[in-house]
Amino acid sequence: MKIVIIEDEQHIADDLAATIKDIEPGVQIRASLKSVKEAVSYFQDNERPDLIFCDIQLGDGLSFEIFNGVPVNSPVIFCTAYD
């Protein structure tokens, strides 16, 4: 399974990646993206992952803007403290 993590706090992204790999060692973390801009650019140039773990509030906007800017049909699990 190919996974992309979208999280602007590096320690949280690292912890999430480690937890995912502990549960399913065969998983490939294809990218850890930190911003709306970086994610849009990534999805324009790369194949879609099987699953996306995504924070909602990123440093440059809400992650929903990513999916408005680029068609992504992968399932998304939101991991956030955003109200």
Side-chain angles (χ1 to χ4, degrees):
M1 177 177 279
K2 299 171 205 138
I3 293 177
V4 167
I5 296 172
I6 304 170
E7 170 60 64
D8 59 344
E9 295 185 43
Q10 190 62 49
H11 68 282
I12 294 175
D14 293 344
D15 186 53
L16 179 57
T19 300
I20 292 167
K21 288 196 158 259
D22 283 346
I23 294 168
E24 187 56 53
V27 161
Q28 298 174 20
I29 306 295
R30 286 299 184 92
S32 183
L33 310 170
K34 295 175 179 56
S35 68
V36 171
K37 183 178 178 180
E38 185 179 10
V40 168
S41 178
Y42 178 86
F43 290 128
Q44 287 173 337
D45 297 331
N46 293 280
E47 69 178 82
R48 301 301 183 258
D50 298 311
L51 183 61
I52 299 168
F53 285 87
C54 189
D55 189 9
I56 291 177
Q57 182 72 48
L58 301 171
D60 63 345
L62 297 178
S63 60
F64 304 119
E65 297 169 35
I66 298 165
F67 309 110
N68 290 333
V70 183
V72 177
N73 295 324
S74 305
V76 178
I77 297 174
F78 288 101
C79 303
T80 188
Y82 185 73
D83 288 337

